[in-house]
Amino acid sequence: FIIYFLYFVTFDMLMLQLFNVFVAIAPNKSLLTAACTVTIFFNTLFCGFIVTPDVLPVYWTWLYWILPSTWVYRGLALNELEEADLIRNGFASASGIHFSKSWIGYGFVYVIGAFLLATIVAAFCLNLRIEEPQTCAPEI
């Protein structure tokens, strides 16, 4: 349970920071909504649940490895499932396991590293953003 909870918290923090980067970059609310929607769509589609890694076209493998949801899904699957279930779900072949239990730790390293990178990028973008001072109408 503790690994599930830690994955949940770290992935939640990462997505929050990633969306903070979009907030810092997007000039308006429409583009912000579109960027967040596309991010959630790709995270859901290519994490390995809907499109498994063995049927993923070669030209999309870079997206599979760069998305944080892939690392979280793989780490949770390796933590929770037995070898027979891993073979059935595409994480292993009948000849042996493609991903060992050490990938659970690699997933944490990736998600925490991506979180730190997103935090730095958001802080940098927010420092560059210049807002016009808002004037208040005098109260009558």
Side-chain angles (χ1 to χ4, degrees):
F1 174 75
I2 191 72
I3 291 178
Y4 169 79
F5 181 73
L6 289 175
Y7 262 123
F8 179 75
V9 169
T10 54
F11 183 69
D12 187 38
M13 289 174 27
L14 169 61
M15 293 308 287
L16 177 69
Q17 277 307 112
L18 185 62
F19 293 151
N20 281 339
V21 170
F22 293 153
V23 167
I25 294 173
N28 58 33
K29 204 175 197 179
S30 298
L31 286 176
L32 174 65
T33 304
C36 293
T37 302
V38 168
T39 301
I40 291 171
F41 173 74
F42 279 117
N43 268 299
T44 304
L45 185 63
F46 291 108
C47 74
F49 181 71
I50 296 175
V51 179
T52 58
D54 53 347
V55 298
L56 196 65
V58 175
Y59 50 86
W60 284 112
T61 55
W62 66 272
L63 188 61
Y64 173 78
W65 286 105
I66 202 169
L67 290 173
S69 59
T70 300
W71 293 84
V72 173
Y73 179 65
R74 185 183 315 112
L76 290 175
L78 290 171
N79 184 48
E80 298 296 324
L81 300 177
E82 298 295 326
E83 186 173 349
D85 295 325
L86 290 172
I87 292 170
R88 212 171 336 165
N89 292 319
F91 286 98
S93 65
S95 61
I97 296 178
H98 291 287
F99 302 110
S100 64
K101 295 283 186 180
S102 63
W103 282 84
I104 296 170
Y106 298 153
F108 278 117
V109 169
Y110 182 85
V111 171
I112 292 170
F115 168 75
L116 293 175
L117 179 66
T119 303
I120 291 168
V121 170
F124 180 73
C125 291
L126 285 173
N127 281 333
L128 292 179
R129 191 173 189 156
I130 299 173
E131 296 285 336
E132 294 180 14
Q134 294 185 3
T135 58
C136 297
E139 291 191 29
I140 299 176

